[in-house]
Amino acid sequence: MTTSLKKLVIAVSTSVALMGAGQATADIKIGIAGPMTGPVAQYGDMQFSGARMAIEQINANGGVMGEKLVGVEYDDVCDPKQAVTVANRMVNDGVRYVIGHLCSSSTQPASDIYEDEGILMITPASTSPEITERGYELVFRTIGLDSMQGPVAANYIASQNPKRVAIVHDKQQYGEGIATAVRDTLKEKGVEIAMFEGVTAGAKDFSSLVTKLKQANVDFVYFGGYHPELGLILRQARQADLDTKFMGPEGVGNKDINTIAGEAAEGLLVTLPPSFDEKEENKDLVKAFEDKGEDPSGPFVLTSYAAVQLVADGIEAAQSKDPFDVAAALRSGTFETPIGTVEYDKAGDMKSFEFVVYEWHSDGSKTPVN
Amino acid sequence: MQDLLYFSQQLINGLTIGSAYALIAIGYTMVYGIIGMINFAHGEIYMIGAYTALIAITGLTALGLAWLPLILIVALVCAIIVSSTMGWAVERVAYRPVRGRHRLIPLISAIGMSIFLQNYVHLAQGSRNIGFPLLIEGGFKFGSDGHFEMSLSYMQITIFVTTLICMTVLSLFISRSRTGRACRAVSQDLGMASLLGIDTNRIISATFIIGAALAAVAGLLLGMYYGSVDPLFGFIAGLKAFTAAVLGGIGSIPGAMLGGLILGVSESMTSGYLSGEYKDVVSFGLLILILLFKPTGLLGKPEVEKI
């Protein structure tokens, strides 16, 4: 008993000593936090793949101020409680720069901890306006806001001159937020809104909703929410011969909607960040992803790449590894990244970020609509 | 005219869902009728039935089988076998060892089983929504009135007909067969039935197997009707079916059928005339109302209270 206890003590102290030794070398730790498991893990994959590539390439070019970047990955399952645990672990692990989180509901509580502990955070995916509304000094993003996305969708809808529009949402922060933004912009433009209604996230039966849409005689449906619900609505609508146009935010724009809706996903309209991977200047980067057998086309791959790059550029610009100096440098400088020229406002949002309307196809591909 | 069509369409929608709820509710009500416990893992058995059917359909299609009735029958048989085995195993592992103890113990065991099965499927099949292939398409259309026309899809007809067959077979089984008679005897008095030479363990296992088989049928039907499955698929459906069973009078088989239909129709009418957001409010409000005035449910016998 005592010998095994001794062994344990020795083992623990050795590993503690080793951990200490690891920190002693002058690497810069970049924490990457997002869902590796759970219902939205496919978005997390995009984030990790983009960030890993950026770290690899920056190190290959000599690192930052002569030091190497080291990526440390954490799984928050897109769960607010788990996100707080992850944030505390980062604090203990001595991480001072975070790429993440993915879901707005995770980013929000985690960012409280980062701000308090002096950790710089750049989220490549969270679009909720509230995240940057709290006057935090160390919170940035490389993605647009819901309040930008709603009007883009509404402008497109208005340009199609629909007679009657229905707006459906999933009653969650993200879905209802976007749906409300769309409704308000449409009202300003004088488009008639025949229906504004919530469904329960996780519900499966939308036959009553479909019947109602049919009777309301709408010719355009906007859905605020994620793909599992919209996929089923599309499928059940097509089976009931409801033949209107459907539109949704970037939360519906991934290939899983095709496995649920099948043919019914053809012609769905989605507002997404522009396909950065199709830009001419990113050709080499796209090739680097393809050489590794990874897909750079997801909406959050290159935003994550840009987030890592901004940390590196910020450190170089500030000539300091203190997150507050880096944050000041990010606010005052102009940076060239794969997602375009980045300039930050006081809140930590990009001064310009556009959303584009795409038409989704039943094979999972998409084409821009003009 | 259009209002009538709209009403009938919502009624059809409601009856479709309601008859599937009834199929699941049978499992709750039979188990309660016989051993007086609520099998909270039943919703998961239904979910596993849907997954098994999906796996079978995908496998058969990959093998190049194209004749639809054969695919459906094989998928149905696979789902029934897997779900029934699961139902039987759940009873053996989680309920039999604690049978006869304080009534909270099997209840906690059931909730544990439900969490276990849900997470098992999470790990084994992933947590994403998986789409069902569209197998039964099309339907009858009638009463076109301007833009609105009523439709009754072949899928809905399949659900009605299958439910009807299952219910008839079950009623005949319970009222005519030897095992059915033993089931009724055990539900009246377990101890006495055992004294009279009925193998009560076997009857209890049979109850779980029957309930699970019907849940598997519902899993296949609703999986195809809705279009996707996920590991939480069973949770909400289980809750609704449980409500249906209580509404109709838990322990009563006709009650479960009636409860399912009432619940389905009230849901679709609420989303049709009020708002989808109030669907669950009205369903559960209805449950509370009925229990206030008729504590044993619509068709429940007043004496029950066992253990």
Side-chain angles (χ1 to χ4, degrees), chain A residues 210 214 231-243 260-261 264, chain B residues 132-141 151-156 223-227:
Chain A
V210 166
K214 230 168 135 180
L232 289 178
I233 294 176
L234 284 174
R235 184 179 166 132
Q236 294 175 17
R238 291 297 180 259
Q239 273 181 287
D241 288 327
L242 175 69
D243 218 16
I260 300 170
Chain B
F132 251 81
L134 202 58
L135 293 174
I136 303 181
E137 275 185 278
F140 298 111
K141 311 230 176 304
S151 64
L152 176 61
S153 70
Y154 297 137
M155 188 64 231
Q156 287 173 322
M224 286 200 296
Y225 181 61
Y226 294 156

Side-chain angles (χ1 to χ4, degrees), chain B residues 15 20 31 110 126 128 134 137 147 159 165 186 189 202-203 265:
Chain B
L15 289 175
V31 166
R128 296 181 184 188
L134 202 58
E137 275 185 278
H147 63 273
I159 293 181
I165 295 174
V186 173
D189 192 329
R202 204 178 61 86
I203 296 302
V265 171

Side-chain angles (χ1 to χ4, degrees), chain B residues 141-196:
Chain B
K141 311 230 176 304
F142 33 90
S144 176
D145 175 58
H147 63 273
F148 191 80
E149 87 186 326
M150 204 174 111
S151 64
L152 176 61
S153 70
Y154 297 137
M155 188 64 231
Q156 287 173 322
I157 298 174
T158 314
I159 293 181
F160 293 136
V161 172
T162 318
T163 309
L164 204 64
I165 295 174
C166 287
M167 295 300 185
T168 317
V169 171
L170 181 73
S171 307
L172 287 177
F173 176 79
I174 297 287
S175 60
R176 302 283 163 83
S177 78
R178 207 178 149 76
T179 318
R181 202 169 336 128
C183 278
R184 280 181 286 145
V186 173
S187 92
Q188 277 173 10
D189 192 329
L190 192 126
M192 194 62 206
S194 157
L195 284 177
L196 290 175

Side-chain angles (χ1 to χ4, degrees), chain A residues 187-224:
Chain A
K187 269 190 183 157
E188 277 168 29
K189 294 187 175 288
V191 177
E192 189 191 349
I193 306 203
M195 227 174 105
F196 185 81
E197 193 167 309
V199 297
T200 309
K204 297 272 178 201
D205 173 33
F206 297 105
S207 57
S208 296
L209 175 74
V210 166
T211 306
K212 209 170 171 181
L213 289 171
K214 230 168 135 180
Q215 202 219 14
N217 201 11
V218 295
D219 46 12
F220 205 105
V221 181
Y222 185 84
F223 178 79

Side-chain angles (χ1 to χ4, degrees), chain A residues 71-358:
Chain A
V72 197
E73 299 179 3
Y74 299 85
D75 183 10
D76 73 0
V77 208
C78 184
D79 171 23
K81 293 192 288 296
Q82 199 66 31
V84 170
T85 313
V86 161
N88 285 319
R89 268 172 57 207
M90 295 231 205
V91 174
N92 291 335
D93 292 353
V95 171
R96 299 178 78 191
Y97 309 97
V98 175
I99 306 306
H101 297 216
L102 187 102
C103 299
S104 295
S105 45
S106 292
T107 310
Q108 188 141 351
S111 62
D112 291 335
I113 296 171
Y114 300 140
E115 179 77 13
D116 284 350
E117 299 290 336
I119 295 172
L120 178 89
M121 182 200 86
I122 306 184
T123 170
S126 299
T127 52
S128 168
E130 287 169 44
I131 290 166
T132 45
E133 265 171 10
R134 296 165 297 169
Y136 283 179
E137 209 177 325
L138 297 175
V139 171
F140 293 86
R141 52 179 137 207
T142 49
I143 190 96
L145 277 69
D146 292 346
S147 47
M148 302 173 179
Q149 191 172 177
V152 171
N155 286 335
Y156 177 82
I157 297 173
S159 75
Q160 300 300 300
N161 293 318
K163 286 193 274 311
R164 293 162 63 81
V165 179
I167 299 176
V168 182
H169 61 82
D170 66 357
K171 295 194 279 188
Q172 299 195 10
Q173 187 182 9
Y174 168 74
E176 190 166 356
I178 289 195
T180 313
V182 170
R183 181 190 60 185
D184 294 345
T185 316
L186 281 179
K187 269 190 183 157
E188 277 168 29
K189 294 187 175 288
V191 177
E192 189 191 349
I193 306 203
M195 227 174 105
F196 185 81
E197 193 167 309
V199 297
T200 309
K204 297 272 178 201
D205 173 33
F206 297 105
S207 57
S208 296
L209 175 74
V210 166
T211 306
K212 209 170 171 181
L213 289 171
K214 230 168 135 180
Q215 202 219 14
N217 201 11
V218 295
D219 46 12
F220 205 105
V221 181
Y222 185 84
F223 178 79
Y226 292 101
H227 59 276
E229 287 80 28
L230 183 63
L232 289 178
I233 294 176
L234 284 174
R235 184 179 166 132
Q236 294 175 17
R238 291 297 180 259
Q239 273 181 287
D241 288 327
L242 175 69
D243 218 16
T244 62
K245 267 282 176 208
F246 279 85
M247 187 174 198
E250 95 276 30
V252 306
N254 76 76
K255 286 173 185 164
D256 272 20
I257 199 166
N258 296 95
T259 71
I260 300 170
E263 285 296 313
E266 180 67 42
L268 167 70
L269 297 162
V270 187
T271 45
L272 286 169
S275 302
F276 301 114
D277 59 304
E278 279 161 19
K279 280 166 70 176
E280 187 56 32
E281 55 269 34
N282 290 334
K283 226 170 51 191
D284 293 340
L285 183 56
V286 168
K287 194 167 174 311
F289 276 104
E290 279 161 1
D291 289 346
K292 271 176 81 181
E294 286 174 4
D295 176 16
S297 70
F300 307 129
V301 179
L302 293 184
T303 57
S304 298
Y305 185 101
V308 175
Q309 194 200 321
L310 283 166
V311 169
D313 289 354
I315 295 175
E316 292 278 5
Q319 282 300 309
S320 156
K321 286 190 287 176
D322 181 55
F324 287 95
D325 295 341
V326 177
L330 285 177
R331 283 206 172 78
S332 57
T334 307
F335 304 92
E336 285 305 323
T337 70
I339 60 168
T341 308
V342 175
E343 271 186 277
Y344 280 109
D345 63 11
K346 202 168 167 300
D349 291 322
M350 291 158 73
K351 281 187 180 155
S352 69
F353 190 90
E354 51 169 345
F355 281 96
V356 183
V357 180
Y358 283 95

